Amino acid sequence: MSYLEAQGRGGLLSWLSSTDHKRIALLYLFLLVPLFWVAVSLGFAMRLKHLFAGDFLMSAQTYNALFTVHGVIMIFMFVIPGLPAVFGNFFLPILIGARDVSFPRLNLLSWYFFAAGAALALLSLFTGRGAPDTGWTFYVPFSLRTGTNVPLAVSAAFVLGLSSILTGLNFITTTHRMRAPGMTWHRMPLFVWALYATGWIQVLVTPIIGITLVLVILERLFGIGVFDPAKGGDPLLYQHLFWIYSHPAVYIMIVPAMGAVTEILPTFARRTIFGYRAIAYSSIAIAALGSIVWAHHMFTSGMSDLAGVIFSLFTFLVAVPSAIKVFNWTATLYKGSIDMQPPMLFALAFVFLFCIGGLTGIIQGALGLNIHLHDTYWIVGHFHYVMFGGTGFAFFAALLYWFPKMFGRMVEPKPVFIAWGLMFAGFNLLYGAFLLLGGMGMPRRYYAHLPQFHPGHLAATVGSWLLVAGLLVLFGSLLRALRSGRRAEDDPWGGKTLEWRIPSPPPAENFAEVPVIDAAPYAYNPGRRS
Amino acid sequence: MPFLAQASSASARIDSVFLWVFAVCLAFLLLISFFLVYFSVRYRRSRNPEPEDIEGNAWLETVWTLVPLALFLAMFYYGWTDFQYLRNPPKDALLVQVIARQWAWSFKYPNGKQSDQLYAALGRPMKLETRTLDVIHGFFVPAFRVKIDVVPGRRNTVWFTPTLLGDFDIQCTVICGVNHSAMLSKVRVVSEAEFKEWYFSDEAAPRVPAAAAPAAGKEPPIVGLLRGKSCLACHSLDGSPMVGPTFKGLYGSRQTLLIDGERRSAVMDGALLRKAISRPGSVQVLGYPPIMPPAKLSDEEMEDIVAYLRSL
Ligand SMILES: [Cu+2]
């Protein structure tokens, strides 16, 4: 009996009270997907607005609310939790041969925190004096002065943070304590390494955003003055605190995505990963170095020039481990036997789009260039390449890859190829235009734009149509597969890691008998090694 | 930068660094893309059914760690030298004060002249010292490749030497409220002679919008108070439309309001005014964005304001 049916079939309640890591993963998925679509629709509406330079479709205040809410939902409720909460929860225990995570109840509690945070965030849209209009960064003093519903939105982010910390804690402990006999550190699949590194970032830096958000609320309610120069405070303190969390958060978003892609490439190339240790350790290096680059978001803020130089240097250093990963992924294709199934295509698109995201990051990490590019559409283009082209595409790759295991059904490949084509073309048109617009000096978060930017905006908007069309086709075919897809075999792709050795969908406690591990994770051709 | 004039002494420097960093990055991208596509085709399953497990190569790992590292350090270095140029104004630069407020710029010259557009002389370095009267703003002139945040409690500076005649856009780059994207102005670069003529003429500064011009002395103290509390950034005294409802004729008018969340028709009297000003959240005028910040006023100031609004 699979985890989908087991546990007495008590309907919704049996799901809401389940401590099975696989069910919790699906609980997350069912919250994340609708939230994703809400945020996509908001982004789509913003693009429509830019069909005209001036007033069109919505007021400036609505537009400001849209980009704020789009950012808050996408970042705190889709991209950060996305891969760890869904695929991490589902596959981390299975990949190390465990029956569940270390703290199954805590795991369920994190989901409730997540649901509560999401509910608060949605509530902030419809209550008080309107949706927040500060951008997802909530910079003071504007976020202290605006009459909109900032306090509730900020509390939502706080609660979501709790959920993230508990998930991280659970993953760290699970990785340390729950590995099957013989599963040494260097026999762990690389997705596990990535989740482990991510767990540490989550646990170490998320409390800082918690403190920061509490300070914002205290400042709003009681005017305590930590951010107010008239009382001896400093608005830059807020920016530092905010980015000390929010920069590492970028790595919370991308490292698990890298991990998932690292699982997919060997399976479809049918050969072992190139540079196992380089990939594993670079996850740790990214987690460590990524924690000391936060002020590269502040080069124009007026902090000391020396600080600017130091943070720029660190920024270039953190690019090295990412580059190492890209080279190793590419080399993994060499002398493989490549089967271009949909998950593989999405994974390769990830590598390409992530390269653009990383390289544009390099460009804006150079101090002199950053001064021009900061707070323009260039930045918006850059982080969409990283977060959507990177994490988003990896999320879809992972979903397509593990869909047969999670739901026991196959996805029809043909429409997915069409979806991929639409998404890939639309994505590059949309965010490529953003990079160009930013170079020309188009500032971000602008309701109205000057005439010289109009052609770029038109191209971007057309790109957004293609992208959304692709997404619709993709989700359409996933839904169809869920209802009427062909039954999946246990190992439809010919994978070697542990999840492919158990039934699709897996039974309640994953393994009837805990496996004993005696080999590296991606040993496809033990006879043919060089 | 593409499609953008090089109008200051910094522009060409920044652009040349951009160009080579961009070229290196593009080369990286093309290299990776080439191998991704080439391997995918060359080693597709139908052509290469027998894969090989290659576990790694220490020599390759070293090369592709050290080569990017060296390139990155070079990029860092050039970015840094440009930054130093941007951060060190020449001693003889003309010092101009930039005053930012929601949602207007104003510029004040050493001789007291004030303008809502920035006049600059071709070839003459100019240093700007910024200050904000409310939230953070960002001063950005794309054609000059310069940008600086305007932060409460700080006097951040920025400088440039214009090298092209003409008008260049100034845009605010830090979200500062509903009219953020309208917080625009221009740098007018004119010849040295023309600049001197403008600078020393007695002719009043070019048109300055009422909200942005604290013309001290000429206005009654109560207007100064309203301006000082930023009220006039959002409300007009003469009936002209702004972000918030005009103060003219406000007192005694009948309006549909959300009072403590309840939709009601009410007449604006002293009590309601006090409530609207001290706790804007509790009185919401329909059809306007809910952005009014709570004002910190003494009782006396509040009474003065209410009395003044009554007289309008
Ligand atoms: Cu502004």
Side-chain angles (χ1 to χ4, degrees):
Chain A
M1 234 186 349
S2 84
Y3 77 103
L4 292 167
E5 309 145 317
Q7 308 191 352
R9 271 195 161 275
L12 194 59
L13 203 67
S14 84
W15 280 82
L16 292 179
S17 62
S18 168
T19 54
D20 182 338
H21 64 105
K22 300 182 288 304
R23 287 194 160 202
I24 293 175
L26 291 201
L27 287 177
Y28 274 110
L29 187 63
F30 291 137
L31 286 185
L32 287 176
V33 169
L35 285 165
F36 171 76
W37 274 102
V38 170
V40 166
S41 318
L42 301 181
F44 186 76
M46 279 190 279
R47 283 325 307 160
L48 282 183
K49 148 69 196 77
H50 284 286
L51 281 176
F52 294 92
D55 280 344
F56 176 59
L57 196 66
M58 60 183 81
S59 69
Q61 185 63 27
T62 309
Y63 184 85
N64 292 2
L66 285 194
F67 66 66
T68 305
V69 177
H70 169 83
V72 168
I73 296 186
M74 277 296 189
I75 291 182
F76 292 112
M77 289 170 245
F78 181 70
V79 186
I80 289 183
L83 283 125
V86 178
F87 304 110
N89 260 321
F90 203 108
F91 290 103
L92 171 74
I94 300 183
L95 285 171
I96 58 173
R99 292 204 157 121
D100 208 321
V101 292
S102 276
F103 307 113
R105 283 165 167 264
L106 206 58
N107 205 13
L108 184 62
L109 182 66
S110 342
W111 182 80
Y112 276 98
F113 277 137
F114 181 81
L120 279 181
L122 293 180
L123 203 62
S124 79
L125 305 185
F126 306 110
T127 56
R129 302 170 65 214
D133 59 349
T134 59
W136 77 279
T137 47
F138 296 110
Y139 270 18
V140 300
F142 182 54
S143 62
L144 302 176
R145 294 169 52 114
T146 176
T148 55
N149 212 346
V150 167
L152 202 58
V154 163
S155 326
F158 183 87
V159 177
L160 291 167
L162 285 179
S163 162
S164 185
I165 295 174
L166 294 183
T167 302
L169 192 72
N170 226 331
F171 287 0
I172 295 173
T173 329
T174 306
T175 312
H176 274 280
R177 308 296 304 166
M178 307 287 285
R179 282 171 287 130
M183 176 65 79
T184 59
W185 283 85
H186 289 122
R187 286 183 189 156
M188 293 193 319
L190 287 159
F191 186 47
V192 179
W193 273 97
L195 290 170
Y196 178 74
T198 310
W200 278 111
I201 317 181
Q202 286 172 298
V203 169
L204 291 177
V205 300
T206 315
I208 299 173
I209 193 75
I211 295 169
T212 315
L213 297 175
V214 169
L215 285 176
V216 168
I217 293 177
L218 289 179
E219 187 85 60
R220 264 189 89 104
L221 295 182
F222 307 111
I224 54 173
V226 275
F227 302 135
D228 182 356
K231 296 177 183 162
D234 189 344
L236 288 200
L237 174 64
Y238 173 84
Q239 298 185 14
H240 277 293
L241 289 172
F242 180 82
W243 288 114
I244 287 177
Y245 165 73
S246 296
H247 190 79
V250 173
Y251 296 103
I252 300 181
M253 306 179 209
I254 197 69
V255 172
M258 294 167 156
V261 165
T262 313
E263 294 301 312
I264 295 169
L265 295 177
T267 301
F268 293 96
R270 196 156 287 181
R271 50 151 288 179
T272 191
I273 192 83
F274 192 96
Y276 176 94
R277 286 183 190 222
I279 295 184
Y281 299 159
S282 59
S283 289
I284 307 287
I286 290 176
L289 281 171
S291 307
I292 49 170
V293 299
W294 74 84
H296 68 204
H297 296 267
M298 298 168 58
F299 290 152
T300 64
S301 69
M303 70 175 180
S304 86
D305 293 349
L306 178 63
V309 174
I310 293 172
F311 279 104
S312 171
L313 179 63
F314 287 162
T315 301
F316 279 96
L317 294 184
V318 75
V320 175
S322 299
I324 293 176
K325 281 188 194 272
V326 169
F327 291 124
N328 281 295
W329 290 326
T330 310
T332 298
L333 303 180
Y334 178 64
K335 295 205 173 168
S337 173
I338 295 163
D339 188 11
M340 200 55 77
Q341 294 290 338
M344 182 66 164
L345 200 53
F346 273 89
L348 291 178
F350 162 91
V351 178
F352 175 78
L353 298 174
F354 172 73
C355 274
I356 299 184
L359 292 168
T360 49
I362 291 287
I363 295 175
Q364 76 212 25
L367 276 169
L369 304 181
N370 181 276
I371 301 298
H372 177 70
L373 298 171
H374 180 68
D375 270 338
T376 67
Y377 265 48
W378 172 279
I379 305 291
V380 184
H382 155 74
F383 70 68
H384 279 89
Y385 266 100
V386 177
M387 291 185 197
F388 190 169
T391 310
F393 271 69
F395 184 88
F396 300 133
L399 191 55
L400 290 162
Y401 179 55
W402 280 314
F403 192 92
K405 182 58 60 184
M406 297 169 77
F407 301 103
R409 305 261 183 190
M410 296 303 287
V411 184
E412 182 61 42
K414 246 190 225 113
V416 179
F417 286 125
I418 295 170
W420 182 90
L422 285 168
M423 287 171 67
F424 189 76
F427 184 94
N428 285 298
L429 185 57
L430 170 53
Y431 299 114
F434 273 25
L435 292 176
L436 187 69
L437 281 170
M440 291 167 67
M442 170 76 211
R444 66 193 287 195
R445 294 170 175 161
Y446 260 35
Y447 169 68
H449 57 258
L450 291 170
Q452 66 264 36
F453 303 121
H454 199 58
H457 277 292
L458 284 184
T461 301
V462 172
S464 75
W465 296 339
L466 293 179
L467 181 56
V468 171
L471 283 170
L472 285 171
V473 176
L474 177 66
F475 277 83
S477 41
L478 289 175
L479 283 181
R480 231 187 61 194
L482 213 51
R483 279 219 331 270
S484 56
R486 190 161 51 79
R487 294 258 168 229
E489 302 150 30
D490 291 355
D491 188 4
W493 313 122
K496 287 280 181 216
T497 35
L498 286 177
E499 76 272 40
W500 306 115
R501 298 197 209 158
I502 58 177
S504 304
E509 301 225 297
N510 308 338
F511 301 96
E513 207 172 307
V514 171
V516 176
I517 314 300
D518 54 8
Y522 312 107
Y524 281 85
N525 316 288
R528 289 167 61 91
R529 280 195 190 194
S530 34
Chain B
M1 301 294 158
F3 309 114
L4 185 55
Q6 296 184 331
S8 81
S9 58
S11 308
R13 301 175 67 110
I14 303 278
D15 286 9
S16 67
V17 172
F18 178 79
L19 210 65
W20 93 255
V21 174
F22 186 78
V24 174
C25 288
L26 192 66
F28 250 115
L29 181 67
L30 291 178
L31 188 81
I32 293 292
S33 314
F34 168 77
F35 280 113
L36 287 179
V37 173
Y38 174 72
F39 288 161
S40 298
V41 175
R42 169 69 184 76
Y43 299 112
R44 63 185 184 277
R45 192 153 296 172
S46 54
R47 172 138 186 233
N48 192 42
E50 294 289 319
E52 245 175 79
D53 273 358
I54 303 168
E55 287 184 335
N57 181 316
W59 188 79
L60 265 179
E61 295 287 355
T62 320
V63 170
W64 66 43
T65 306
L66 293 183
V67 171
L69 182 65
L71 283 170
F72 291 166
L73 288 178
M75 293 173 183
F76 159 73
Y77 175 77
Y78 284 105
W80 180 18
T81 49
D82 266 3
F83 185 63
Q84 273 183 318
Y85 180 79
L86 289 174
R87 298 303 303 158
N88 290 297
K91 294 272 173 306
D92 61 342
L94 179 67
L95 183 68
V96 176
Q97 304 291 328
V98 178
I99 300 138
R101 58 163 76 219
Q102 282 171 322
W103 296 283
W105 298 101
S106 86
F107 304 97
K108 204 169 163 189
Y109 289 79
N111 69 351
K113 204 165 174 94
Q114 201 156 353
S115 161
D116 67 338
Q117 291 193 332
L118 182 59
Y119 277 73
L122 187 72
R124 166 98 87 101
M126 182 177 270
K127 178 174 165 182
L128 305 178
E129 192 180 76
T130 63
R131 116 182 113 90
T132 168
L133 301 181
D134 38 54
V135 298
I136 303 181
H137 300 277
F139 177 89
F140 179 31
V141 186
F144 291 176
R145 316 288 189 272
V146 296
K147 178 183 292 130
I148 191 74
D149 292 359
V150 185
V151 181
R154 284 175 187 261
R155 295 287 172 93
N156 288 343
T157 62
V158 68
W159 77 278
F160 53 81
T161 306
T163 55
L164 272 186
L165 290 174
D167 286 358
F168 302 100
D169 292 312
I170 299 173
Q171 308 181 87
C172 175
T173 47
V174 178
I175 174 74
C176 57
V178 63
N179 283 347
H180 171 53
S181 71
M183 189 164 161
L184 308 172
S185 182
K186 293 228 182 251
V187 189
R188 296 219 115 138
V189 180
V190 294
S191 68
E192 181 77 36
E194 225 176 306
F195 179 78
K196 285 217 171 93
E197 194 183 324
W198 172 80
Y199 188 60
F200 293 112
S201 70
D202 290 333
E203 126 208 19
R207 190 191 61 78
V208 177
K218 285 182 219 136
E219 57 187 20
I222 179 71
V223 178
L225 175 67
L226 288 173
R227 200 187 299 288
K229 299 285 177 189
S230 297
C231 314
L232 300 190
C234 304
H235 298 281
S236 74
L237 298 173
D238 58 1
S240 53
M242 290 181 78
V243 184
T246 181
F247 285 155
K248 191 183 165 93
L250 176 61
Y251 192 93
S253 66
R254 176 166 282 282
Q255 304 190 334
T256 313
L257 303 167
L258 274 182
I259 302 178
D260 297 321
E262 239 177 276
R263 196 191 179 99
R264 274 206 274 152
S265 166
V267 174
M268 253 306 154
D269 57 9
L272 199 51
L273 268 183
R274 279 183 211 102
K275 189 172 161 76
I277 296 171
S278 57
R279 288 193 297 126
S282 61
V283 180
Q284 170 75 46
V285 192
L286 296 176
Y288 287 92
I291 53 167
M292 170 154 161
K296 296 204 176 58
L297 300 169
S298 67
D299 288 350
E300 199 183 325
E301 287 170 333
M302 177 67 93
E303 289 320 310
D304 287 352
I305 289 178
V306 172
Y308 179 68
L309 294 190
R310 190 172 184 167
S311 74
L312 275 178

